[in-house]
Amino acid sequence: MTPKMQKALAALLTQPTKEKAAAAAGITSKTLRSYLDDPEFQCEYRKAFDGLVRDATRKAQQTLDPAIAVLREIMENGDENGQVRVSAARSVLEYGLRLTEATDILSRLQELEAAMGGEHGQ
């Protein structure tokens, strides 16, 4: 990739629109569109974007324990307003169920992939 393509890639990851990314990279929108049509550029963009998503996911995961602890503290605090306690309890239940569902789906997907891998290996 050329230096201009690398600059465009970085701009795509930090700017809210393609037009602003092109401007930040010092290229035209038409040039950016041609970069986005390039398979090598697309591959590099996907890798960079996936890295951003993984980093953001890790950061969000790191906040789960403290957030749940705060909600639990509010939920169990008898001096707290009842509506606030119910809201905290609802949040704990909602997110707990979502995490359980996601974990179950991931586990089932891994089992299916293992089973399909076994079939293809035979």
Side-chain angles (χ1 to χ4, degrees):
M1 277 197 346
T2 68
K4 280 195 176 224
M5 290 176 117
Q6 291 174 348
K7 194 171 182 180
L9 178 62
L12 278 170
L13 298 172
T14 58
Q15 297 298 316
T17 65
K18 289 178 184 171
E19 290 77 21
K20 289 185 180 183
I27 59 174
T28 66
S29 293
K30 182 179 177 182
T31 300
L32 181 60
R33 282 192 301 274
S34 74
Y35 289 173
L36 288 166
D37 288 337
D38 179 87
E40 180 188 359
F41 187 87
Q42 287 176 8
C43 182
E44 291 301 317
Y45 177 68
R46 272 193 297 276
K47 280 194 250 179
F49 184 77
D50 288 349
L52 282 177
V53 171
R54 278 192 302 277
D55 289 346
T57 301
R58 254 190 311 279
K59 288 177 185 175
Q61 288 170 336
Q62 292 169 353
T63 66
L64 289 175
D65 281 340
I68 290 171
V70 167
L71 287 170
R72 185 174 179 175
E73 183 180 317
I74 292 168
M75 181 179 70
E76 293 174 348
N77 183 349
D79 296 331
E80 193 64 67
N81 173 307
Q83 186 174 2
V84 171
R85 291 176 64 207
V86 168
S87 179
R90 185 176 293 128
S91 293
V92 169
L93 288 171
E94 180 180 326
Y95 294 120
L97 290 172
R98 282 186 190 173
L99 285 169
T100 301
E101 279 180 349
T103 302
D104 288 348
I105 289 169
L106 182 58
S107 176
R108 289 179 184 173
L109 180 59
Q110 289 170 336
E111 289 172 9
L112 283 171
E113 287 176 338
M116 289 184 75
E119 288 176 14
H120 293 295
Q122 293 178 350

